[in-house]
């Protein structure tokens, strides 16, 4: 169990919770909208071969990194992650139980940010000093960059 601290410091054997959510707040890093779609077309060619064409797209709307994004110290520039869309394509040759495909994920090389923290919110990041001023380090997690590849499948 977690015991919440009460009274004044020093606190021992308890936790001080800051930025906890209240009824009506959105959960940090949760988008209002997520959408996904795909289309696939298989074109028969001679000798039971098929050419497969596949496209997919996923969209994630903007999200906040805090529960209460209306608080006085919350700024969209610092605590709002922009929405993004990622597109994938696949084309290949297949027959029965086997196939070989070329693909590209994140076709437009979008930098979709999924998480962000600073040294002020993470004990694993150290602030840095520039011209006598301390700045928090920023750690960002994003989706994978554009990836080209080949894949194959078979049935044993």
């Amino acid at each position: 169990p977690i015991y919440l601290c009460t009274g004044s410091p020093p606190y021992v054997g308890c936790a001080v919770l800051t930025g906890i959510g209240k009824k009506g707040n959105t959960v940090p890093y949760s988008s209002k909208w997520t959408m996904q779609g795909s289309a696939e077309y298989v074109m028969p060619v001679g000798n039971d071969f098929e050419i497969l064409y596949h496209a997919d797209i996923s969209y994630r709307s903007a999200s906040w990194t805090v529960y209460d994004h209306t608080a006085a110290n919350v700024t969209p520039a610092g605590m709002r992650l922009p929405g993004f869309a990622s597109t994938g394509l696949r084309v290949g040759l297949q027959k029965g139980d086997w196939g070989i495909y070329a693909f590209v994920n994140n076709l437009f090389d979008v930098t979709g940010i999924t998480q962000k923290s600073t040294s002020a919110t993470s004990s694993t990041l150290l602030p840095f000093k520039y011209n006598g001023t301390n700045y928090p380090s920023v750690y960002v997690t994003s989706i994978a960059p554009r990836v080209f590849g080949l894949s194959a499948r078979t049935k044993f």
Side-chain angles (χ1 to χ4, degrees):
I2 297 175
Y3 300 101
L4 297 180
C5 297
T6 58
S8 301
Y11 299 119
V12 178
C14 60
V16 176
L17 300 179
T18 60
I20 60 176
K22 297 177 181 167
K23 186 176 180 179
N25 290 154
T26 58
V27 176
Y29 302 104
S30 64
S31 302
K32 184 173 184 176
W33 295 99
T34 57
M35 293 180 258
Q36 299 170 344
S38 65
E40 191 169 277
Y41 178 72
V42 177
M43 183 174 70
V45 291
N47 294 331
D48 295 328
F49 284 95
E50 299 172 324
I51 297 177
L52 172 104
Y53 301 96
H54 178 92
D56 56 71
I57 186 166
S58 63
Y59 170 75
R60 179 177 170 169
S61 67
S63 63
W64 290 90
T65 63
V66 293
Y67 280 103
D68 185 5
H69 56 85
T70 62
N73 64 335
V74 174
T75 62
M79 299 178 183
R80 186 171 188 259
L81 304 180
F84 62 90
S86 180
T87 304
L89 298 176
R90 178 176 303 272
V91 64
L93 183 66
Q94 57 189 26
K95 180 178 180 178
D97 291 339
W98 67 268
I100 187 162
Y101 311 91
F103 67 88
V104 59
N105 294 336
N106 195 0
L107 176 66
F108 301 109
D109 206 19
V110 172
T111 303
I113 299 172
T114 59
Q115 189 171 6
K116 176 181 175 182
S117 63
T118 66
S119 56
T121 59
S122 173
S123 62
T124 61
L125 299 172
L126 297 175
F128 65 94
K129 190 174 228 172
Y130 179 74
N131 284 341
T133 303
N134 284 324
Y135 294 95
S137 297
V138 178
Y139 179 80
V140 175
T141 304
S142 70
I143 63 173
R146 180 174 35 228
V147 175
F148 294 95
L150 293 173
S151 65
R153 69 169 177 85
T154 188
K155 189 174 182 181
F156 295 96

